[in-house]
mmCIF file of all heavy atoms in Angstrom:
data_model
loop_
_atom_site.group_PDB
_atom_site.id
_atom_site.type_symbol
_atom_site.label_atom_id
_atom_site.label_comp_id
_atom_site.label_asym_id
_atom_site.label_seq_id
_atom_site.Cartn_x
_atom_site.Cartn_y
_atom_site.Cartn_z
ATOM 1 N N HIS W 215 -19.388 60.699 114.182
ATOM 2 C CA HIS W 215 -20.602 61.004 113.426
ATOM 3 C C HIS W 215 -20.245 61.951 112.300
ATOM 4 O O HIS W 215 -19.573 62.970 112.508
ATOM 5 C CB HIS W 215 -21.656 61.655 114.318
ATOM 6 C CG HIS W 215 -22.791 62.226 113.515
ATOM 7 N ND1 HIS W 215 -23.777 61.433 112.975
ATOM 8 C CD2 HIS W 215 -23.068 63.504 113.133
ATOM 9 C CE1 HIS W 215 -24.622 62.185 112.298
ATOM 10 N NE2 HIS W 215 -24.214 63.444 112.382
ATOM 11 N N CYS W 216 -20.698 61.641 111.080
ATOM 12 C CA CYS W 216 -20.512 62.511 109.923
ATOM 13 C C CYS W 216 -21.833 62.595 109.177
ATOM 14 O O CYS W 216 -22.444 61.562 108.884
ATOM 15 C CB CYS W 216 -19.442 61.976 108.977
ATOM 16 S SG CYS W 216 -17.817 61.730 109.714
ATOM 17 N N SER W 217 -22.270 63.788 108.862
ATOM 18 C CA SER W 217 -23.511 63.956 108.102
ATOM 19 C C SER W 217 -23.551 65.365 107.529
ATOM 20 O O SER W 217 -22.698 66.211 107.831
ATOM 21 C CB SER W 217 -24.743 63.729 108.994
ATOM 22 O OG SER W 217 -24.910 64.788 109.931
ATOM 23 N N ARG W 218 -24.569 65.611 106.693
ATOM 24 C CA ARG W 218 -24.901 66.977 106.345
ATOM 25 C C ARG W 218 -25.459 67.660 107.591
ATOM 26 O O ARG W 218 -25.812 67.004 108.576
ATOM 27 C CB ARG W 218 -25.920 66.989 105.213
ATOM 28 C CG ARG W 218 -25.449 66.333 103.918
ATOM 29 C CD ARG W 218 -24.421 67.184 103.181
ATOM 30 N NE ARG W 218 -24.965 68.485 102.845
ATOM 31 C CZ ARG W 218 -25.727 68.725 101.762
ATOM 32 N NH1 ARG W 218 -25.996 67.747 100.907
ATOM 33 N NH2 ARG W 218 -26.183 69.942 101.523
ATOM 34 N N LEU W 219 -25.561 68.962 107.579
ATOM 35 C CA LEU W 219 -26.018 69.667 108.775
ATOM 36 C C LEU W 219 -27.456 69.331 109.146
ATOM 37 O O LEU W 219 -27.839 69.458 110.319
ATOM 38 C CB LEU W 219 -25.865 71.181 108.602
ATOM 39 C CG LEU W 219 -24.434 71.710 108.467
ATOM 40 C CD1 LEU W 219 -24.416 73.229 108.585
ATOM 41 C CD2 LEU W 219 -23.494 71.090 109.476
ATOM 42 N N ASP W 220 -28.251 68.864 108.186
ATOM 43 C CA ASP W 220 -29.621 68.460 108.506
ATOM 44 C C ASP W 220 -29.701 67.017 108.986
ATOM 45 O O ASP W 220 -30.795 66.485 109.204
ATOM 46 C CB ASP W 220 -30.549 68.672 107.303
ATOM 47 C CG ASP W 220 -30.163 67.814 106.096
ATOM 48 O OD1 ASP W 220 -29.217 66.994 106.199
ATOM 49 O OD2 ASP W 220 -30.813 67.960 105.034
ATOM 50 N N GLY W 221 -28.554 66.370 109.158
ATOM 51 C CA GLY W 221 -28.508 64.999 109.640
ATOM 52 C C GLY W 221 -28.545 63.945 108.562
ATOM 53 O O GLY W 221 -28.419 62.754 108.860
ATOM 54 N N SER W 222 -28.705 64.334 107.314
ATOM 55 C CA SER W 222 -28.787 63.360 106.222
ATOM 56 C C SER W 222 -27.400 62.841 105.852
ATOM 57 O O SER W 222 -26.369 63.452 106.151
ATOM 58 C CB SER W 222 -29.458 63.979 104.991
ATOM 59 O OG SER W 222 -28.718 65.089 104.522
ATOM 60 N N GLU W 223 -27.375 61.686 105.208
ATOM 61 C CA GLU W 223 -26.124 61.033 104.827
ATOM 62 C C GLU W 223 -25.369 61.857 103.794
ATOM 63 O O GLU W 223 -25.962 62.484 102.912
ATOM 64 C CB GLU W 223 -26.430 59.641 104.262
ATOM 65 C CG GLU W 223 -25.213 58.832 103.891
ATOM 66 C CD GLU W 223 -25.567 57.472 103.300
ATOM 67 O OE1 GLU W 223 -26.702 57.309 102.821
ATOM 68 O OE2 GLU W 223 -24.706 56.577 103.325
ATOM 69 N N ILE W 224 -24.054 61.835 103.894
ATOM 70 C CA ILE W 224 -23.212 62.487 102.895
ATOM 71 C C ILE W 224 -22.996 61.512 101.738
ATOM 72 O O ILE W 224 -22.539 60.393 101.946
ATOM 73 C CB ILE W 224 -21.858 62.894 103.491
ATOM 74 C CG1 ILE W 224 -22.049 63.840 104.671
ATOM 75 C CG2 ILE W 224 -20.982 63.540 102.430
ATOM 76 C CD1 ILE W 224 -20.765 64.178 105.410
ATOM 77 N N VAL W 225 -23.327 61.929 100.526
ATOM 78 C CA VAL W 225 -23.181 61.092 99.335
ATOM 79 C C VAL W 225 -22.238 61.788 98.361
ATOM 80 O O VAL W 225 -22.393 62.985 98.082
ATOM 81 C CB VAL W 225 -24.546 60.832 98.667
ATOM 82 C CG1 VAL W 225 -24.366 60.004 97.400
ATOM 83 C CG2 VAL W 225 -25.492 60.141 99.642
ATOM 84 N N TYR W 226 -21.282 61.038 97.851
ATOM 85 C CA TYR W 226 -20.262 61.599 96.970
ATOM 86 C C TYR W 226 -20.470 61.184 95.510
ATOM 87 O O TYR W 226 -21.385 60.435 95.186
ATOM 88 C CB TYR W 226 -18.871 61.173 97.452
ATOM 89 C CG TYR W 226 -18.501 61.837 98.755
ATOM 90 C CD1 TYR W 226 -18.614 61.152 99.962
ATOM 91 C CD2 TYR W 226 -18.070 63.156 98.778
ATOM 92 C CE1 TYR W 226 -18.296 61.769 101.161
ATOM 93 C CE2 TYR W 226 -17.748 63.780 99.973
ATOM 94 C CZ TYR W 226 -17.866 63.095 101.157
ATOM 95 O OH TYR W 226 -17.555 63.704 102.347
ATOM 96 N N ASN W 227 -19.594 61.709 94.668
ATOM 97 C CA ASN W 227 -19.623 61.500 93.219
ATOM 98 C C ASN W 227 -20.918 61.995 92.602
ATOM 99 O O ASN W 227 -21.529 61.338 91.758
ATOM 100 C CB ASN W 227 -19.392 60.027 92.851
ATOM 101 C CG ASN W 227 -19.086 59.867 91.370
ATOM 102 O OD1 ASN W 227 -18.454 60.727 90.761
ATOM 103 N ND2 ASN W 227 -19.552 58.788 90.786
ATOM 104 N N ASN W 228 -21.349 63.170 93.027
ATOM 105 C CA ASN W 228 -22.491 63.821 92.403
ATOM 106 C C ASN W 228 -22.056 64.484 91.097
ATOM 107 O O ASN W 228 -20.886 64.803 90.905
ATOM 108 C CB ASN W 228 -23.071 64.871 93.354
ATOM 109 C CG ASN W 228 -23.612 64.241 94.626
ATOM 110 O OD1 ASN W 228 -24.636 63.574 94.612
ATOM 111 N ND2 ASN W 228 -22.912 64.436 95.740
ATOM 112 N N ARG W 229 -23.017 64.679 90.233
ATOM 113 C CA ARG W 229 -22.687 65.266 88.928
ATOM 114 C C ARG W 229 -22.011 66.624 89.109
ATOM 115 O O ARG W 229 -21.033 66.940 88.437
ATOM 116 C CB ARG W 229 -23.954 65.392 88.074
ATOM 117 C CG ARG W 229 -23.673 65.734 86.626
ATOM 118 C CD ARG W 229 -24.933 65.559 85.791
ATOM 119 N NE ARG W 229 -25.405 64.191 85.806
ATOM 120 C CZ ARG W 229 -24.922 63.205 85.051
ATOM 121 N NH1 ARG W 229 -23.913 63.449 84.212
ATOM 122 N NH2 ARG W 229 -25.413 61.984 85.118
ATOM 123 N N HIS W 230 -22.542 67.442 90.013
ATOM 124 C CA HIS W 230 -21.867 68.688 90.370
ATOM 125 C C HIS W 230 -21.266 68.475 91.754
ATOM 126 O O HIS W 230 -21.994 68.283 92.726
ATOM 127 C CB HIS W 230 -22.847 69.857 90.396
ATOM 128 C CG HIS W 230 -22.196 71.170 90.737
ATOM 129 N ND1 HIS W 230 -21.054 71.619 90.107
ATOM 130 C CD2 HIS W 230 -22.507 72.111 91.659
ATOM 131 C CE1 HIS W 230 -20.700 72.788 90.622
ATOM 132 N NE2 HIS W 230 -21.559 73.098 91.567
ATOM 133 N N PRO W 231 -19.941 68.465 91.891
ATOM 134 C CA PRO W 231 -19.307 68.025 93.134
ATOM 135 C C PRO W 231 -19.249 69.071 94.235
ATOM 136 O O PRO W 231 -18.346 69.038 95.074
ATOM 137 C CB PRO W 231 -17.901 67.628 92.671
ATOM 138 C CG PRO W 231 -17.620 68.556 91.529
ATOM 139 C CD PRO W 231 -18.944 68.713 90.822
ATOM 140 N N TYR W 232 -20.201 69.984 94.261
ATOM 141 C CA TYR W 232 -20.246 70.982 95.320
ATOM 142 C C TYR W 232 -20.858 70.363 96.573
ATOM 143 O O TYR W 232 -21.855 69.642 96.500
ATOM 144 C CB TYR W 232 -21.083 72.179 94.868
ATOM 145 C CG TYR W 232 -21.180 73.297 95.873
ATOM 146 C CD1 TYR W 232 -20.063 74.062 96.201
ATOM 147 C CD2 TYR W 232 -22.393 73.593 96.484
ATOM 148 C CE1 TYR W 232 -20.150 75.100 97.115
ATOM 149 C CE2 TYR W 232 -22.497 74.639 97.397
ATOM 150 C CZ TYR W 232 -21.371 75.380 97.709
ATOM 151 O OH TYR W 232 -21.471 76.400 98.633
ATOM 152 N N MET W 233 -20.248 70.620 97.734
ATOM 153 C CA MET W 233 -20.725 70.080 99.006
ATOM 154 C C MET W 233 -21.002 71.270 99.935
ATOM 155 O O MET W 233 -20.080 71.823 100.532
ATOM 156 C CB MET W 233 -19.677 69.158 99.627
ATOM 157 C CG MET W 233 -20.083 68.527 100.934
ATOM 158 S SD MET W 233 -21.415 67.330 100.789
ATOM 159 C CE MET W 233 -20.640 66.067 99.759
ATOM 160 N N PRO W 234 -22.256 71.680 100.080
ATOM 161 C CA PRO W 234 -22.547 72.919 100.806
ATOM 162 C C PRO W 234 -22.189 72.899 102.282
ATOM 163 O O PRO W 234 -21.772 73.918 102.837
ATOM 164 C CB PRO W 234 -24.064 73.086 100.630
ATOM 165 C CG PRO W 234 -24.425 72.225 99.464
ATOM 166 C CD PRO W 234 -23.463 71.089 99.488
ATOM 167 N N ASP W 235 -22.348 71.746 102.934
ATOM 168 C CA ASP W 235 -22.196 71.731 104.386
ATOM 169 C C ASP W 235 -22.001 70.307 104.887
ATOM 170 O O ASP W 235 -22.369 69.344 104.218
ATOM 171 C CB ASP W 235 -23.448 72.327 105.046
ATOM 172 C CG ASP W 235 -24.707 71.569 104.649
ATOM 173 O OD1 ASP W 235 -24.975 70.504 105.241
ATOM 174 O OD2 ASP W 235 -25.423 72.011 103.727
ATOM 175 N N PHE W 236 -21.447 70.189 106.094
ATOM 176 C CA PHE W 236 -21.316 68.888 106.756
ATOM 177 C C PHE W 236 -20.890 69.121 108.196
ATOM 178 O O PHE W 236 -20.446 70.218 108.573
ATOM 179 C CB PHE W 236 -20.304 67.983 106.044
ATOM 180 C CG PHE W 236 -18.899 68.499 106.078
ATOM 181 C CD1 PHE W 236 -18.020 68.129 107.091
ATOM 182 C CD2 PHE W 236 -18.448 69.373 105.108
ATOM 183 C CE1 PHE W 236 -16.727 68.620 107.130
ATOM 184 C CE2 PHE W 236 -17.155 69.865 105.138
ATOM 185 C CZ PHE W 236 -16.290 69.494 106.161
ATOM 186 N N VAL W 237 -21.003 68.078 108.993
ATOM 187 C CA VAL W 237 -20.519 68.095 110.369
ATOM 188 C C VAL W 237 -19.799 66.790 110.648
ATOM 189 O O VAL W 237 -20.227 65.719 110.214
ATOM 190 C CB VAL W 237 -21.670 68.318 111.382
ATOM 191 C CG1 VAL W 237 -22.769 67.273 111.221
ATOM 192 C CG2 VAL W 237 -21.144 68.287 112.820
ATOM 193 N N ILE W 238 -18.670 66.889 111.343
ATOM 194 C CA ILE W 238 -17.936 65.739 111.882
ATOM 195 C C ILE W 238 -17.845 65.965 113.382
ATOM 196 O O ILE W 238 -17.405 67.039 113.813
ATOM 197 C CB ILE W 238 -16.521 65.641 111.290
ATOM 198 C CG1 ILE W 238 -16.570 65.433 109.777
ATOM 199 C CG2 ILE W 238 -15.726 64.523 111.958
ATOM 200 C CD1 ILE W 238 -15.215 65.509 109.099
#
Side-chain angles (χ1 to χ4, degrees):
H215 168 77
C216 302
S217 71
R218 299 287 301 277
L219 295 191
D220 63 4
S222 61
E223 183 182 21
I224 301 174
V225 178
Y226 291 100
N227 194 34
N228 297 289
R229 191 168 298 279
H230 181 49
Y232 181 68
M233 181 68 64
D235 58 81
F236 65 92
V237 56
I238 298 172

